[in-house]
Amino acid sequence: MKRNLPLAWSLTAFLPFLSPLPAEQPKSVERWDVLELTLSGPSSGNPFVEVQLSARFTKGEETITVPGFYDGGGVYRVRFSPPDPGRWTYTTRSNQAELSGKDGSFEATAATGDNHGPVRIRETFHLAYADGTPFFQVGTTCYAWTHQTDELQKQTLETLATEPFNKLRMCVFPKSYRHNANDPTTFPFARAADGKAFDFERFDPANWRHLEQRIGDLRKLGIEADLILFHPYDRWGFAEMDSEADDRYLRYAIARLSAYRNVWWSAANEYDFMIPPLRDGQRGNKRMEDWDRILSILEKEDPHHRLRGIHHASKLYDHSKPWVTHVSVQHRDPSQILKWRERFQKPVVLDECRYEGNISASWGKLTGPEMLRQFWVGTVCGGYVGHGETLRHPQDVLWWSKGGVLRGESPPRIAFLRKTMEALPYAEMTPARLGQSAFALSKPGSVYLVYATAEGPVRLQMEGEREYEVDEIDTWNMSARKLQPVKPGEFSFTAPHPDYLLRIRVPSQQ
């Protein structure tokens, strides 16, 4: 079986140079962890564009070709995350003799502890780790947290360690927008000779090493890093690079980052705001075909096949295209998930349903109960929902942009939601609308969740032959109260208040 050969050279071209890598190369790594090969090579000229490097990893009949990258100072690296345990061999290929034909082997050992592998698509609409462990996505957003002070970044990680979120949306490029005007200390590209503009043919390895460190920090916390590759809120020129620079940047990101099992690719945040004509505060020179090309590169050239999405503002992308693995959207109405599931036949992640906060923008002033409602409606409609917080701060440190600490009311209630859902067979449950203000999620004959956003009558048809127990869930106070059991068939009740949730299940589902 062959997987993804982004760089291909003739085998006969490098056979004369076959030689072992230095003895310090790693001899073992856990399955789904990062195996890193380190080589010495040329540092003159511009190795970022002049040197090509890859390695072929082989186990039995399976061969995976992985691109390498230049890390500065004459150092080159190849990173590989073995998808299967066992003995792997490898051989490097390069247009530079001193980097080509280096071979060796290593053992991929069994995964241990919390290493469940990368997140994959499961049962059309859902997500699971590679070892089959379900992944119930509970996301949050900290766009520019890695571009802040080390102290603030440490505080963000400390906060995440105690909160329910298992995916974080974050930008590779810095962001220039309201509540975020500071420059980072380093940038993905090196400065040009004038010290002002950027040289889009030279990367800054120090910046990328820092990003890798933070991706690794998130991995230790069990958090997926949803990396936003492009965005329109820019004052440095990154949103207006030409296609050659865009593609070079993409390939460098793939080579450096795709081996981290917790990486997801988000081609853009609000991609349609990067397509001219632009509004104030936005930058971009993209066309729709550019986004297709960018996502296609991610699909074809990422040897680890990480999840791929693209996030819109007002114009929905065609998520049915093959290079998109899941639907990433923003919308005020989470019940639209029902429509998007049917249309795209992929998992739907409502990454932005507005934010809990008190800023002036309409998208940033949900109350805690309103944010929690967005989560429950989106969940019962069969999707995954994302959180953000925009509460005012005297130093303008808003979680949604810079991280820090969370001060909103919704996170502990979202934690309760996650715990509730992880106790259910979510990937086996089907959503349905019961009326204008009521929704159901069910595995017929086994378990039903019914959520009403307004008081009033609700009617539900339940299958099976066994009596069901009924729990009234208080989503705000995070408690459950048993009601009278009910028999299969038609079940009617009146929701006594908005945001009313019933869990109905046969006793064996406890």
Side-chain angles (χ1 to χ4, degrees):
M1 172 182 168
K2 290 187 177 182
R3 295 187 188 176
N4 194 22
L5 305 179
L7 298 173
W9 284 277
S10 166
L11 181 63
T12 58
F14 70 89
L15 275 174
F17 304 109
L18 283 176
S19 61
L21 282 166
E24 64 267 17
Q25 301 300 333
K27 297 301 181 184
S28 68
V29 68
E30 273 194 22
R31 182 187 190 187
W32 299 312
D33 264 355
V34 180
L35 184 284
E36 181 173 291
L37 307 180
T38 304
L39 302 90
S40 297
S43 59
S44 60
N46 185 358
F48 293 109
V49 297
E50 295 168 1
V51 178
Q52 296 173 317
L53 171 66
S54 70
R56 294 182 63 182
F57 292 85
T58 301
K59 177 180 176 291
E61 297 183 356
E62 183 174 30
T63 296
I64 303 174
T65 299
V66 177
F69 63 93
Y70 182 55
D71 199 25
V75 175
Y76 294 79
R77 304 186 193 278
V78 180
R79 290 176 176 156
F80 174 58
S81 181
D84 301 302
R87 184 175 181 271
W88 290 82
T89 61
Y90 53 79
T91 301
T92 66
R93 293 178 167 186
S94 176
N95 61 350
Q96 303 294 314
E98 60 264 54
L99 296 173
S100 194
K102 308 297 184 183
D103 61 357
S105 65
F106 70 94
E107 189 76 16
T109 60
T112 61
D114 293 329
N115 177 4
H116 299 291
V119 174
R120 301 296 192 206
I121 306 304
R122 177 186 182 186
E123 303 294 338
T124 306
F125 299 113
H126 292 286
L127 304 167
Y129 292 105
D131 70 355
T133 302
F135 177 78
F136 183 77
Q137 192 267 181
V138 178
T140 189
T141 295
C142 287
Y143 286 125
W145 79 281
T146 62
H147 307 134
Q148 310 307 315
T149 64
D150 287 343
E151 181 182 10
L152 187 54
Q153 291 176 57
K154 181 181 178 182
Q155 188 179 56
T156 301
L157 290 167
E158 291 171 348
T159 299
L160 288 167
T162 63
E163 297 295 343
F165 306 111
N166 56 18
K167 181 172 78 74
L168 183 70
R169 297 182 69 229
M170 52 188 282
C171 297
V172 177
F173 289 128
K175 189 174 182 181
S176 178
Y177 194 57
R178 65 185 76 171
H179 308 293
N180 198 148
N182 57 299
D183 274 4
T185 55
T186 64
F187 295 83
F189 290 96
R191 292 282 187 181
D194 64 8
K196 297 179 182 179
F198 288 92
D199 183 348
F200 295 138
E201 292 190 348
R202 293 180 183 271
F203 298 95
D204 181 353
N207 176 273
W208 290 84
R209 290 185 205 117
H210 174 74
L211 177 60
E212 292 158 2
Q213 177 186 346
R214 292 312 183 209
I215 292 171
D217 291 335
L218 293 176
R219 184 180 61 181
K220 292 175 185 176
L221 295 175
I223 297 172
E224 305 294 298
D226 195 356
L227 299 179
I228 298 167
L229 294 166
F230 296 94
H231 65 77
Y233 306 106
D234 172 61
R235 64 173 182 268
W236 303 278
F238 306 129
E240 295 165 332
M241 299 187 298
D242 61 26
S243 59
E244 186 177 355
D246 286 345
D247 295 357
R248 186 184 305 114
Y249 158 68
L250 282 173
R251 292 184 170 110
Y252 194 73
I254 289 169
R256 288 202 73 123
L257 305 178
S258 77
Y260 292 88
R261 65 176 178 267
N262 62 324
V263 160
W264 297 23
W265 304 118
S266 178
N269 185 59
E270 298 184 330
Y271 83 92
D272 45 322
F273 282 176
M274 296 183 71
I275 300 175
L278 304 172
R279 301 191 302 185
D280 289 344
Q282 297 167 5
R283 300 289 185 271
N285 59 356
K286 302 293 181 284
R287 300 167 297 173
M288 186 61 74
E289 51 264 39
D290 291 317
W291 296 119
D292 291 348
R293 186 191 76 256
I294 286 166
L295 282 158
S296 180
I297 289 172
L298 292 169
E299 178 201 25
K300 293 176 181 177
E301 300 191 25
D302 173 5
H304 300 102
H305 306 292
R306 301 310 185 206
L307 295 181
R308 303 174 301 275
I310 184 168
H311 182 82
H312 79 290
S314 57
K315 181 177 175 58
L316 195 67
Y317 186 80
D318 181 3
H319 298 281
S320 64
K321 293 180 178 180
W323 38 72
V324 174
T325 58
H326 62 285
V327 181
S328 172
V329 290
Q330 66 167 286
H331 204 278
R332 293 168 179 252
D333 179 7
S335 72
Q336 296 297 305
I337 289 172
L338 291 167
K339 177 179 68 176
W340 296 323
R341 278 172 49 112
E342 183 66 25
R343 177 179 172 184
F344 296 117
Q345 294 294 299
K346 294 177 180 179
V348 178
V349 184
L350 182 56
D351 279 311
E352 183 180 332
C353 62
R354 296 185 288 166
Y355 304 120
E356 180 182 1
N358 55 8
I359 61 174
S360 60
S362 62
W363 47 263
K365 54 181 180 181
L366 289 181
T367 65
E370 287 170 338
M371 171 60 81
L372 185 62
R373 172 184 289 187
Q374 299 290 78
F375 262 82
W376 274 109
V377 172
T379 298
V380 178
C381 286
Y384 301 93
V385 184
H387 158 276
E389 184 179 290
T390 51
L391 290 165
R392 293 191 189 100
H393 186 277
Q395 283 78 48
D396 225 19
V397 181
L398 279 64
W399 173 265
W400 141 90
S401 185
K402 298 179 180 178
V405 298
L406 284 163
R407 297 177 292 122
E409 296 180 297
S410 65
R413 279 89 185 176
I414 293 170
F416 177 76
L417 178 150
R418 176 179 170 182
K419 181 179 179 181
T420 300
M421 297 310 302
E422 287 181 338
L424 298 173
Y426 189 53
E428 302 171 36
M429 300 174 75
T430 302
R433 183 186 284 272
L434 300 180
Q436 185 63 31
S437 59
F439 307 89
L441 182 70
S442 67
K443 181 180 180 181
S446 177
V447 60
Y448 298 79
L449 284 182
V450 183
Y451 188 81
T453 59
E455 60 182 86
V458 180
R459 182 176 299 169
L460 174 69
Q461 190 70 30
M462 298 188 301
E463 299 181 11
E465 299 178 354
R466 299 180 61 187
E467 188 175 67
Y468 288 89
E469 64 178 17
V470 182
D471 294 310
E472 180 185 74
I473 308 294
D474 186 330
T475 61
W476 188 254
N477 292 308
M478 299 172 284
S479 61
R481 181 172 70 93
K482 283 203 175 300
L483 303 181
Q484 290 296 318
V486 297
K487 297 183 181 298
E490 185 176 289
F491 171 52
S492 298
F493 67 94
T494 298
H497 55 76
D499 306 313
Y500 186 73
L501 177 66
L502 290 183
R503 179 179 58 202
I504 307 166
R505 57 185 178 178
V506 294
S508 62
Q509 294 304 115
Q510 296 185 59

